[in-house]
Amino acid sequence: MSAASVKPLFRAVSGGGKKPHPAQMMITGCERQQRRPDEGRDPLDFDPTPPSATEAILREELPHVLRHGRVVWETAVGAGHIARVLERAGLAVLGSDVVDRGWSGDFELRSFLEYGAPRAGIQFTNPPYNLISARDGHGRWLSHSFALGLGYTALLLNTDWPAARINGMDRLLTEHPPSVEYLCCWKIDFRGGGAPPQRNSWFIWDENRPAPEGGGWLRKRLYKEGSDLGQEVLI
């Protein structure tokens, strides 16, 4: 006996049938659940950073930060989500942004890209992605960081950010590779809508720690609550 034809199912899934096949309805339903609406996205790419993301990177990087001093410039300070964690770690924070979102610290209403001299030699921020991405921002935020001569820069970015090759990104990362990337081993919920689909990494440029020779950079895993010392050994 010959096998049943799959053509009716194919037509239903591809839209050729008059009624949607149950398999198509299941796929469509899953897509609705996974797709996140863009209506609430801030036009300036303001994504408040949960404290745990900054606390985690400071556990690893604070000694290296302190080698450059205790004054930190939060260049996209927003409402102070990162700044407050930096202050709790004993750092003095100078903030700037294009919008005053209510941070109560030392604040200047000014775009980072307008500065001709740095307010401090340490930059710590979650920059607007549309100003640092290859497609929209042409890497301008990072390029300006180097132009200002900052000694230490920590940027929270999409993990896939350095994969772009357009608009000079290859050249930029070849000339200025990060010292180290910390891959966040949890999905950061920036907007309170549940874990987003992308991964994030902290990228660190530290003049005291040049990137390894031969291209590329050091990559480490970063944990929300610190390393799990009870991890079992793989067998």
Side-chain angles (χ1 to χ4, degrees), residues 4-83:
S5 172
V6 297
K7 290 182 179 179
L9 173 60
F10 177 81
R11 285 197 301 268
V13 173
S14 62
K18 294 182 179 179
K19 295 182 179 180
H21 189 276
Q24 184 185 23
M25 296 174 64
M26 183 182 300
I27 293 172
T28 304
C30 291
E31 288 177 345
R32 287 201 192 98
Q33 292 176 2
Q34 294 174 0
R35 188 180 298 124
R36 300 189 61 190
D38 294 329
E39 289 84 354
R41 184 165 186 84
D42 187 277
L44 298 176
D45 271 355
F46 173 59
D47 281 323
T49 304
S52 56
T54 308
E55 292 165 353
I57 190 62
L58 286 178
R59 282 197 297 268
E60 302 291 334
E61 281 291 304
L62 185 57
H64 299 290
V65 173
L66 292 175
R67 292 181 64 188
H68 296 269
R70 289 186 173 273
V71 182
V72 179
W73 185 13
E74 219 294 27
T75 50
V77 72
H81 292 78
I82 289 178

Side-chain angles (χ1 to χ4, degrees), residues 44 73-78 94-101 103 106-120 123 125 128 131 141 144 148:
L44 298 176
W73 185 13
E74 219 294 27
T75 50
V77 72
L94 307 178
S96 60
D97 211 329
V98 295
V99 175
D100 185 350
R101 299 184 186 272
W103 183 60
D106 188 323
F107 175 73
E108 286 187 358
L109 185 64
R110 189 178 181 186
S111 167
F112 171 65
L113 300 178
E114 294 177 354
Y115 282 89
R119 298 193 71 195
Q123 175 183 199
T125 196
L131 293 180
W141 195 282
H144 195 61
L148 291 175

Side-chain angles (χ1 to χ4, degrees), residues 34-229:
Q34 294 174 0
R35 188 180 298 124
R36 300 189 61 190
D38 294 329
E39 289 84 354
R41 184 165 186 84
D42 187 277
L44 298 176
D45 271 355
F46 173 59
D47 281 323
T49 304
S52 56
T54 308
E55 292 165 353
I57 190 62
L58 286 178
R59 282 197 297 268
E60 302 291 334
E61 281 291 304
L62 185 57
H64 299 290
V65 173
L66 292 175
R67 292 181 64 188
H68 296 269
R70 289 186 173 273
V71 182
V72 179
W73 185 13
E74 219 294 27
T75 50
V77 72
H81 292 78
I82 289 178
R84 287 191 291 271
V85 179
L86 296 174
E87 288 178 331
R88 288 199 296 269
L91 300 167
V93 181
L94 307 178
S96 60
D97 211 329
V98 295
V99 175
D100 185 350
R101 299 184 186 272
W103 183 60
S104 59
D106 188 323
F107 175 73
E108 286 187 358
L109 185 64
R110 189 178 181 186
S111 167
F112 171 65
L113 300 178
E114 294 177 354
Y115 282 89
R119 298 193 71 195
I122 304 168
Q123 175 183 199
F124 224 108
T125 196
N126 172 5
Y129 198 70
N130 61 357
L131 293 180
I132 196 169
S133 67
R135 188 191 70 180
D136 302 317
H138 296 205
R140 284 178 295 169
W141 195 282
L142 184 59
S143 297
H144 195 61
S145 300
F146 299 132
L148 291 175
L150 299 171
Y152 182 100
T153 288
L155 302 179
L156 180 60
L157 301 170
N158 189 312
T159 297
D160 289 335
W161 166 77
R165 304 194 62 188
I166 62 174
N167 295 327
M169 186 60 74
D170 267 354
R171 177 191 55 78
L172 182 62
L173 291 178
T174 297
E175 294 177 356
H176 302 284
S179 303
V180 58
E181 171 194 352
Y182 288 90
L183 172 63
C184 298
C185 294
W186 76 101
K187 292 186 176 181
I188 302 173
D189 182 7
F190 292 99
R191 301 176 204 160
Q198 81 274 1
R199 292 279 181 183
N200 292 93
S201 291
W202 282 99
F203 291 88
I204 310 295
W205 288 264
D206 184 352
E207 64 181 8
N208 294 329
R209 292 176 289 165
E213 294 183 3
W217 52 84
L218 181 65
R219 196 185 212 196
K220 296 184 177 181
R221 292 163 65 83
L222 186 69
Y223 301 93
K224 185 176 182 179
E225 305 296 345
S227 300
D228 181 4
L229 300 179

